[in-house]
Amino acid sequence: QGTTADLILQLFYVIIWTAFAFNLPWQDRSKYTPLAENWLRIVVLIAVVAITTYQIGDEIKEVHLSTVRTDKYKKWRLGQIEEQMAVCHPCWPGEMEYLEDEKNLIDSYRSNYASDTWNFIDWITYVALVASLVSHFVDIGVQSLVTARWHARIVSMTIILVWLRILKSVRAYIELGPFIVILGKLILVIGRFIFLYLVFFIPYRYNSSYPVSVQYFDTVNDLMFSLFLITANGPYDLAVSSKDLLTF
């Protein structure tokens, strides 16, 4: 029930966040006048701020509870080890060494909150959400194209993270959980391929001794996009000018 309630809250949150972020063109998102025509946007904004505050508070509570649970387990287990050490017989020094090693291991335990990568994604999302809200309020106060443009840029990145967090809420369901695990592994594999692209192709881009200029490979951005098209068997162009060929 708790998982379902969390999923419903997340779905509601991403829907109202999407409505808040993209219901108007980016130049007009800071305008709330006249109030009679924009009351619904104000309600959505209040809901976004309230749920964001609740989720950040809930995350802080989760960090605290994880620390408390770890400390309670350490205290309980160390008490057991102390009791066992008190009855160790001198004829069996190996038993004492084993208990000492286990005691040191238990002492080194830390909260398992950091062991879940999704918790880091949560905090990155919260930072992006706060930045989006702050930039929005700044845009309301300043009312300039510069602040509106920066708010639009921040929101464009934030909305991806907000929707991505839905995957965390559906991990508990057997229909989707395994696929999310596979997706996580796939992201790591894609990261390795991106690393190989960077290692092999960027040095060629900056090799000043190479005299031929290939279209769409002149800048790093064009280079990476062209490599993506090559990998996806897309419409890439490797045309070389005749002048460059003669020079080469």
Side-chain angles (χ1 to χ4, degrees):
Q1 293 180 352
T3 303
T4 303
D6 180 67
L7 177 59
I8 293 173
L9 177 62
Q10 291 297 334
L11 289 174
F12 176 72
Y13 184 60
V14 297
I15 290 172
I16 64 171
W17 180 266
T18 305
F20 156 73
F22 299 105
N23 63 338
L24 287 177
W26 64 272
Q27 303 94 327
D28 302 326
R29 293 174 190 168
S30 62
K31 299 176 182 177
Y32 286 90
T33 54
L35 296 179
E37 298 178 3
N38 293 278
W39 65 269
L40 183 58
R41 292 181 59 222
I42 296 174
V43 171
V44 170
L45 176 59
I46 294 173
V48 166
V49 173
I51 298 178
T52 302
T53 304
Y54 166 78
Q55 290 191 338
I56 293 176
D58 189 62
E59 197 72 27
I60 295 174
K61 180 181 177 181
E62 183 179 347
V63 174
H64 175 69
L65 290 178
S66 178
T67 303
V68 170
R69 285 194 296 264
T70 302
D71 291 341
K72 289 178 64 176
Y73 170 76
K74 288 173 64 176
K75 183 178 179 180
W76 169 76
R77 184 59 186 141
L78 288 173
Q80 283 190 327
I81 294 175
E82 292 290 345
E83 292 177 359
Q84 293 172 354
M85 293 176 67
V87 296
C88 283
H89 198 280
C91 293
W92 304 100
E95 184 179 3
M96 180 64 72
E97 293 178 3
Y98 171 79
L99 292 174
E100 287 286 354
D101 291 340
E102 186 173 2
K103 182 179 179 181
N104 294 332
L105 179 63
I106 297 298
D107 280 331
S108 65
Y109 277 3
R110 296 294 180 269
S111 171
N112 60 359
Y113 178 86
S115 62
D116 190 353
T117 307
W118 283 103
N119 291 328
F120 291 100
I121 296 177
D122 283 341
W123 281 110
I124 293 173
T125 305
Y126 295 143
V127 171
L129 288 169
V130 172
S132 298
L133 291 173
V134 170
S135 64
H136 182 62
F137 288 120
V138 170
D139 188 28
I140 293 174
V142 177
Q143 295 282 333
S144 70
L145 288 178
V146 175
T147 56
R149 185 176 291 110
W150 274 106
H151 171 66
R153 290 170 178 171
I154 296 173
V155 167
S156 298
M157 295 183 291
T158 303
I159 197 67
I160 298 174
L161 296 172
V162 171
W163 279 91
L164 182 64
R165 287 182 67 235
I166 295 180
L167 298 179
K168 178 183 179 181
S169 300
V170 300
R171 289 184 302 169
Y173 297 94
I174 191 172
E175 296 83 2
L176 295 174
F179 295 100
I180 295 174
V181 175
I182 294 172
L183 179 62
K185 302 296 183 181
L186 181 62
I187 291 174
L188 295 177
V189 174
I190 293 174
R192 295 190 184 102
F193 277 101
I194 292 175
F195 174 75
L196 292 176
Y197 282 156
L198 295 175
V199 168
F200 282 99
F201 288 94
I202 289 183
Y204 285 99
R205 163 64 186 87
Y206 286 102
N207 190 352
S208 59
S209 63
Y210 190 67
V212 178
S213 176
V214 180
Q215 190 178 10
Y216 306 126
F217 278 69
D218 291 335
T219 65
V220 176
N221 291 338
D222 291 342
L223 168 71
M224 297 306 297
F225 185 68
S226 298
L227 289 175
F228 170 74
L229 291 179
I230 293 173
T231 306
N233 198 23
Y236 53 89
D237 186 2
L238 298 180
V240 181
S241 65
S242 59
K243 180 180 178 181
D244 288 333
L245 286 175
L246 291 175
T247 303
F248 181 69

